[in-house]
Amino acid sequence: MPEPSVLASLVSALRSGAIEVVDLTAPLSSTTPVLQLPPEFGQTAVFELDEISRYDDRGPAWYWNNFRSGEHTGTHFDAPNHWVTGKDLADVASVPVNRLVAPAAVLDFTAEARENPDFLVEVDHVKAWEAEHGPLPDGGWLLVRTGWDARSHAQEPFLNADENGPHTPGLSAECARWVAQESPVIGLGVETVGTDAGGAHSFDPAFPCHSYLMGSDKYGLTQLQNLAALPATGSVVVAGPLPIVTGSGSPARVLALVERS
């Protein structure tokens, strides 16, 4: 008999549970936290549903809705043209599909973020991880776990803001530059509302993850959940943004394939 194909083996492993599908996506509703900018700037829309019909005189046998949402609401994908440094690069509809399925490295800073919500990942943290687990995956994702998904049930604890602005963990400016310009990954994934730390408005440059990643033709994934279910290495991320023509990003369903023994 011929050897089973790679795809047949994958399907078999999915059915048997040898490969688990982990949902990394936050539920999308009117209570999903959204980024808040200073009032002088434009604001992203909260997710809204507008019912068209629900088994009634507007449509007796079907239920459906229109919806309104910002591109960067909920779990979402940042395309290069989202930031001025990438304004001449790809929109979200032009991201090569082979980049939407990629291996992942998961770096866990839950303890550090619990002690200090303004914790910043430095290059040395990443290199220490590499010394233990091997190099970051070429063409893969760097996923930063901080435990912040536990706060995603409501706007206030998720943004964690006071009179000085939000306090959420992220990357230092130098680490953001290194990930964008020197590391082999295609993008950064986080559990917070955006790829940058809460205090990144005061960094040099401001919002360095956005500035460096987008300018380097790389991507962002934000408001991820369930990173605790992923191993440090070996998982594969499937990111599914809507291909919005000229769009700067999109809400996305993000899954991870994890091999279980």
Side-chain angles (χ1 to χ4, degrees):
M1 293 180 63
E3 291 292 323
S5 71
V6 172
L7 287 178
S9 297
L10 173 62
V11 171
S12 177
L14 289 168
R15 286 177 175 171
S16 71
I19 293 178
E20 179 186 1
V21 181
V22 179
D23 196 349
L24 306 184
T25 315
L28 189 56
S29 74
S30 60
T31 63
T32 297
V34 296
L35 181 70
Q36 288 185 329
L37 297 178
E40 63 268 27
F41 297 116
Q43 306 295 325
T44 191
V46 173
F47 182 84
E48 297 177 351
L49 281 181
D50 177 23
E51 187 176 279
I52 301 171
S53 67
R54 189 163 187 156
Y55 327 120
D56 52 27
D57 56 2
R58 300 169 299 170
W62 53 91
Y63 165 55
W64 57 343
N65 303 286
N66 292 316
F67 67 85
R68 180 174 185 263
S69 177
E71 294 174 327
H72 301 269
T73 296
T75 302
H76 63 270
F77 188 103
D78 291 347
N81 70 337
H82 175 43
W83 211 251
V84 64
T85 52
K87 65 184 179 65
D88 297 320
L89 300 176
D91 64 12
V92 71
S94 303
V95 175
V97 293
N98 61 357
R99 284 189 150 197
L100 300 179
V101 182
V106 182
L107 282 63
D108 185 4
F109 299 104
T110 304
E112 291 87 343
R114 186 183 302 116
E115 291 295 320
N116 175 17
D118 292 310
F119 171 76
L120 297 179
V121 180
E122 302 287 355
V123 176
D124 284 348
H125 290 118
V126 182
K127 293 192 173 182
W129 183 94
E130 288 186 304
E132 180 179 356
H133 299 284
L136 295 175
D138 190 3
W141 289 96
L142 169 60
L143 304 182
V144 176
R145 180 188 168 209
T146 56
W148 215 256
D149 56 339
R151 298 169 173 255
S152 65
H153 59 282
Q155 179 92 352
E156 186 174 341
F158 195 64
L159 297 188
N160 196 37
D162 60 17
E163 66 277 4
N164 297 314
H167 298 274
T168 60
L171 273 56
S172 72
E174 174 55 22
C175 189
R177 186 204 64 76
W178 183 87
V179 170
Q181 299 178 358
E182 297 187 38
S183 86
V185 300
I186 60 169
L188 170 70
V190 299
E191 298 168 326
T192 47
V193 72
T195 52
D196 273 295
H201 54 83
S202 299
F203 292 3
D204 184 18
F207 305 104
C209 287
H210 284 81
S211 182
Y212 287 128
L213 285 166
M214 308 296 98
S216 299
D217 200 23
K218 293 189 176 183
Y219 315 119
L221 286 174
T222 75
Q223 287 182 250
L224 298 174
Q225 296 197 341
N226 301 319
L227 293 184
L230 306 188
T233 64
S235 62
V236 173
V237 167
V238 182
L242 298 172
I244 302 169
V245 176
T246 77
S248 70
S250 167
R253 191 67 181 263
V254 184
L255 309 174
L257 304 181
V258 180
E259 191 170 358
R260 303 300 188 193
S261 56

